[in-house]
Amino acid sequence: GVPLEMKNILHNQILPDITKRFELNHTILVRVLHTISAGESTIDAQIGDLEKSINPSVGLLAHPGSVDIRITSGADSLEEARASIQQVENIIRDRLGSLIYGSDGQTLEGVVLQLLEEQNLRLAVVECGLGGGLLSRLVQERFPPENIKIYLDFPGGEALSAALEHFEAEVNADLGLGVCLHHNSGKQAVDIVILPMGAPQHTQLHFGGSHEMAKTWTGNRAMDALRTFLTESQSHQKKQ
């Protein structure tokens, strides 16, 4: 993708200069929707027709385990640009549903922590093989670092569940997330365990890309698994 520095130069220097030089009273507005746990081809299959639009334009930017959808509108006023973007955004949200976790400056971990706060839950995290990746992401959102335990090497599976259960009790948490990236039969295996009330939910996935990309992909899949669990739990509570 285009480096962030180039995007900043475009939006903060080049476009304003062009507008001033040619006396253009034109508003350009951008909205970015963040999706998770679906590849670029999956997203493209569902909104490909919208990507043919010129104004608003719709483009995709793929990341390991996530895809951003960029909606750009040009109009004579800010209100017109907002209305134009909103119309397209509504269509995209209707088609993609829960694959969209947020927009613009929202982060996946920020959304997860907001769900935890809304449900008054205390989280414990055990991570292995990610080089502190989850710790770094969560601490940036003001998650207490003492609630994260990092292992350098771990077999995953039942051992991960046992370590998570022990650590969850140690920090007096209500919910546990265990994530382990390791090699299994020559493949990069990912174990994700969510431990609510002593009943572990275990998922194992495989990733074929580079090890560095696997770290980001694993973190995204783990955060999304927890987001899905919390969203379903919240929906169930509202129905009661």
Side-chain angles (χ1 to χ4, degrees):
V2 179
L4 184 60
E5 294 82 0
M6 296 299 294
K7 291 182 180 179
N8 289 334
I9 291 173
L10 173 66
H11 290 287
N12 297 328
Q13 298 181 31
I14 297 177
L15 291 179
D17 184 60
I18 291 175
T19 299
K20 182 177 180 180
R21 285 172 181 265
F22 294 95
E23 299 182 351
L24 300 175
N25 295 316
H26 199 64
T27 297
I28 297 176
L29 195 63
V30 176
R31 177 81 158 167
V32 179
L33 303 180
H34 306 301
T35 73
I36 193 70
S37 296
E40 185 175 7
S41 60
T42 299
I43 301 298
D44 184 64
Q46 297 192 55
I47 65 169
D49 58 320
L50 300 177
E51 295 170 49
K52 299 175 183 177
S53 171
I54 297 176
N55 190 26
S57 64
V58 177
L60 305 182
L61 179 61
H63 309 279
S66 67
V67 177
D68 286 343
I69 303 170
R70 183 183 178 93
I71 311 170
T72 305
S73 175
D76 293 331
S77 69
L78 182 60
E79 291 74 16
E80 290 180 15
R82 282 175 175 166
S84 177
I85 284 180
Q86 190 62 59
Q87 185 177 16
V88 174
E89 180 180 344
N90 289 344
I91 295 172
I92 294 174
R93 286 186 178 276
D94 183 59
R95 294 184 187 179
L96 299 184
S98 63
L99 290 178
I100 299 173
Y101 71 81
S103 61
D104 296 330
Q106 286 183 298
T107 65
L108 181 56
E109 47 274 19
V111 169
V112 167
L113 295 183
Q114 179 63 38
L115 286 168
L116 287 166
E117 183 178 337
E118 290 172 359
Q119 298 177 51
N120 195 29
L121 295 173
R122 182 179 172 86
L123 177 68
V125 178
V126 168
E127 98 167 61
C128 169
L130 303 183
L134 270 187
L135 170 65
S136 176
R137 290 173 62 169
L138 288 168
V139 167
Q140 286 184 29
E141 297 290 341
R142 300 184 180 180
F143 184 79
E146 63 270 17
N147 276 34
I148 303 178
K149 193 164 191 176
I150 299 176
Y151 289 89
L152 296 179
D153 189 24
F154 217 67
E158 294 182 1
L160 177 61
S161 297
L164 178 60
E165 185 172 8
H166 177 77
F167 184 58
E168 185 179 336
E170 181 182 319
V171 297
N172 195 29
D174 308 291
L175 184 66
L177 173 65
V179 187
C180 185
L181 173 63
H182 57 102
H183 288 274
N184 185 1
S185 300
K187 299 179 180 179
Q188 294 184 101
V190 177
D191 283 284
I192 300 172
V193 175
I194 297 176
L195 192 60
M197 306 298 289
Q201 298 183 8
H202 179 214
T203 302
Q204 186 171 78
L205 307 167
H206 291 91
F207 184 79
S210 70
H211 187 62
E212 287 304 312
M213 287 184 65
K215 292 179 182 179
T216 303
W217 185 87
T218 299
N220 282 336
R221 292 304 295 261
M223 283 287 99
D224 190 44
L226 186 55
R227 177 186 74 106
T228 299
F229 172 83
L230 291 168
T231 301
E232 292 176 351
S233 175
Q234 190 175 58
S235 177
H236 180 69
Q237 290 174 9
K238 288 180 179 179
K239 290 178 181 179
Q240 290 182 334

